[in-house]
Amino acid sequence: MHDRIRATAGNNPLVSLMEPVDGRLRPLTRRNTKWSEPLAEHRGLHEAITPGDRQSARVHALPHVRATTTRPCGISSARTA
């Protein structure tokens, strides 16, 4: 989903910033068992970005980014390979 959001946004600095982060998160997100909240946030972002509504995208993006640092995501504490 992050790939599609970045491509739609057309924001090269965002793409450069998120690519390494996404690579590190991918193994963890595969193990996530609680997807409802992040998926709803991603849908809102995509719906704002697609028509180019920057203000709405910002309104959706900031809480999503903040939530990723505080939300329990259902990932077990076992280390990834």
Side-chain angles (χ1 to χ4, degrees):
M1 178 61 110
H2 290 144
D3 296 340
R4 284 185 271 164
I5 289 173
R6 286 193 307 268
T8 304
N11 183 333
N12 289 335
L14 176 65
V15 170
S16 297
L17 176 70
M18 286 301 298
E19 282 178 347
V21 172
D22 238 15
R24 289 178 173 212
L25 291 177
R26 198 162 306 239
L28 294 175
T29 59
R30 286 187 190 129
R31 297 168 50 204
N32 190 343
T33 61
K34 298 180 181 181
W35 282 104
S36 60
E37 288 180 43
L39 285 178
E41 293 163 3
H42 286 163
R43 280 189 203 103
L45 273 166
H46 193 268
E47 289 171 7
I49 292 168
T50 300
D53 185 345
R54 291 179 179 199
Q55 182 59 31
S56 182
R58 182 177 290 119
V59 166
H60 289 283
L62 292 176
H64 172 63
V65 171
R66 287 182 182 125
T68 61
T69 64
T70 60
R71 174 191 305 130
C73 59
I75 299 172
S76 81
S77 60
R79 299 187 129 222
T80 59

